[in-house]
Amino acid sequence: MGTDSTPGDGSIFADERLLDPEYLPTDRFAGRDEEIASIEYAVTPIVFGTQPDNVLIHGRWGTGKTTCATYSIRREVQHAREQGVRAGFVYVDCGDRPTETNVTRTVAQRLNDPSITELAIPETGLSLREYRDRFRTVLDARYDVVLVVLDRMDRMDDETLPLEFVLSDADGPRDCAVGIIGICDGVVEDVANEAVESSLWDSHIGFDPYGRDELLEILDPRLDAFADGAIVDEAISRAASIASEPYGNARTAIDLLRFAGERADERGDSVVTAETIESVAADVETIRTREAIASLPRHSRLALLALASVSSDRPGESVRTTTIHEAYEGVCRDHDTRPRTARRLQDFLNEHADLGFTQTAAHWGGRGEGNYKTHRLTVDPEVIALVVDDR
């Protein structure tokens, strides 16, 4: 599906661009006033050029974490600059740069101005230590304080904690203060990652799933995407209801409206109804499932791939944890990475069940067999293999 309608093109849409999830029709975020206030409170010291808190933001995918964080931080950085503070801000998606070297190089490059520092930050050819040194040189030459947003931190390699060295005075006092805002998908207790579990964080801010009423508020300013009378109230209500279960996802709600509008155009319908919303729900769910799998930390994806590989030979059957562990070790060998511990694997499997990718059952086998768990895949194994191999 997909049209690229623009205002006045005669379709059911007036301006389909308003249904782009990245489009922000307002600077007020439904149901997120408290979270935004908490973020701004944590980083407010930058207005005075002093050390901000290091904040870990966590919550389900599609709950507004990145949007609210970047909005709040950009606003505070602007306030700091208005006060004469040399404040900087940089955003890095750790899912695309999963090692400390990748992250350090990227942050240094984005903050650097060679005309001021007379320093180059090459893509290759330097050690991690050299990238760190150049990063510190850039900071001290250009800034009083910098905020670094590390999105999808749970996608980092477990052994690395990017930029932790910045917070240490081991090499002497620093001229530039640095605050880290880490963002991870999921509940912190369910994320097996050293960076997320670190004592580095001064505070944690959780984003709960959106409720139905909040989703309706999010959708309201986007309804101008439709021509007058082209969508009925029942359709909007149904989209919010579907998206609110089980993990109130704003992107799902927006996509339901967009897909339904495109489906109505394809059919030649003049209006989007609740039935139209229902007709595209399965398509949106498939996309959401693929994106949710792709957003998992690397080893969580590999554990899911291990279960998928076993389930391909026994579709619909439940599989014991020990069998998955054996398959997981083989998958790790194939992907040239060291497997995590059995405890970490269990964390991953719990996460999969929580996301609805699997169904888990506990069994008490008595003296002869002992207690154990089984896991049954609820997602097409081919979808998992396609997503994981594509990453």
Side-chain angles (χ1 to χ4, degrees):
M1 304 180 75
T3 62
D4 189 19
S5 60
T6 54
D9 70 353
S11 77
I12 205 166
F13 292 108
D15 188 353
E16 190 177 356
R17 292 171 296 186
L18 298 180
L19 296 177
D20 183 337
E22 303 305 319
Y23 172 74
L24 298 179
T26 177
D27 61 0
R28 185 178 185 279
F29 302 96
R32 294 299 181 228
D33 292 345
E34 182 177 342
E35 290 84 355
I36 288 175
S38 296
I39 295 169
E40 292 181 348
Y41 178 80
V43 303
T44 289
I46 72 168
V47 176
F48 309 100
T50 57
Q51 178 67 50
D53 285 350
N54 300 303
V55 181
L56 180 65
I57 299 172
H58 55 90
R60 299 294 177 193
W61 185 85
T63 54
K65 303 183 300 298
T66 300
T67 299
C68 291
T70 53
Y71 165 78
S72 303
I73 291 164
R74 289 183 189 278
R75 190 161 70 169
E76 291 303 302
V77 167
Q78 182 59 37
H79 289 167
R81 290 172 177 171
E82 291 170 356
Q83 299 301 315
V85 176
R86 297 182 305 163
F89 161 67
V90 62
Y91 168 91
V92 179
D93 185 343
C94 297
D96 297 328
R97 298 167 179 82
T99 70
E100 184 176 357
T101 299
N102 295 153
V103 171
T104 306
R105 179 182 63 242
T106 300
V107 173
Q109 289 172 334
R110 293 179 180 176
L111 292 174
N112 188 35
D113 183 344
S115 68
I116 296 175
T117 64
E118 298 182 351
L119 196 65
I121 314 291
E123 283 292 326
T124 60
L126 299 182
S127 67
L128 173 58
R129 180 66 193 187
E130 289 172 315
Y131 280 122
R132 286 177 174 179
D133 290 343
R134 297 196 185 196
F135 171 62
R136 287 303 331 186
T137 298
V138 169
L139 292 183
D140 292 341
R142 297 200 62 205
Y143 301 99
D144 299 316
V145 61
V146 165
L147 291 174
V148 180
V149 175
L150 301 176
D151 202 355
R152 296 199 292 172
M153 275 199 74
D154 44 311
R155 298 289 296 276
M156 293 292 298
D157 290 346
D158 283 4
E159 290 82 4
T160 64
L161 183 55
L163 306 184
E164 184 173 19
F165 69 93
V166 173
L167 307 173
S168 170
D169 291 330
D171 297 328
R174 305 301 192 186
D175 295 329
C176 175
V178 178
I180 300 178
I181 295 84
I183 303 174
C184 70
D185 290 325
V187 180
V188 167
E189 290 76 8
D190 293 339
V191 179
N193 180 281
E194 296 294 344
V196 172
E197 294 174 351
S198 171
S199 59
L200 157 71
W201 310 107
D202 297 306
S203 59
H204 289 206
I205 300 174
F207 277 61
D208 294 328
Y210 288 112
R212 178 180 175 278
D213 290 344
E214 291 168 336
L215 290 172
L216 285 171
E217 188 176 347
I218 290 170
L219 292 178
D220 184 64
R222 297 176 182 270
L223 298 180
D224 289 339
F226 294 92
D228 289 343
I231 185 168
V232 300
D233 289 344
E234 290 80 4
I236 303 164
S237 178
R238 187 63 189 132
S241 295
I242 292 173
S244 68
E245 297 294 339
Y247 299 120
N249 190 312
R251 294 192 183 187
T252 296
I254 294 167
D255 278 352
L256 282 167
L257 293 191
R258 179 169 59 87
F259 275 46
E262 293 169 355
R263 177 66 57 84
D265 262 347
E266 291 171 0
R267 292 175 174 177
D269 297 340
S270 61
V271 64
V272 174
T273 67
E275 183 276 331
T276 320
I277 296 291
E278 294 282 358
S279 72
V280 299
D283 293 335
V284 172
E285 178 62 23
T286 297
I287 291 174
R288 284 289 149 286
T289 297
R290 291 183 177 183
E291 291 178 339
I293 293 172
S295 73
L296 292 172
R298 184 187 187 197
H299 278 270
S300 183
R301 298 197 310 274
L302 295 180
L304 191 61
L305 181 61
L307 175 56
S309 65
V310 175
S311 299
S312 295
D313 298 329
R314 50 182 87 172
E317 294 185 18
S318 296
V319 182
R320 292 181 63 152
T321 303
T322 52
T323 302
I324 299 171
H325 188 269
E326 293 174 359
Y328 166 68
E329 291 182 328
V331 168
C332 287
R333 286 193 296 272
D334 292 341
H335 286 76
D336 195 27
T337 186
R338 180 171 60 84
R340 301 299 180 243
T341 64
R343 182 188 70 81
R344 290 288 176 97
L345 175 63
Q346 188 60 62
D347 289 338
F348 298 142
L349 294 174
N350 290 339
E351 179 183 31
H352 301 158
D354 194 31
L355 290 169
F357 300 152
T358 65
Q359 291 181 345
T360 299
H363 301 268
W364 289 266
R367 290 184 178 180
E369 199 169 7
N371 303 330
Y372 61 94
K373 286 185 176 181
T374 59
H375 312 266
R376 185 176 67 82
L377 197 62
T378 60
V379 180
D380 185 346
E382 293 185 3
V383 170
I384 295 171
L386 180 63
V387 173
V388 175
D389 288 344
D390 189 50
R391 299 297 292 181

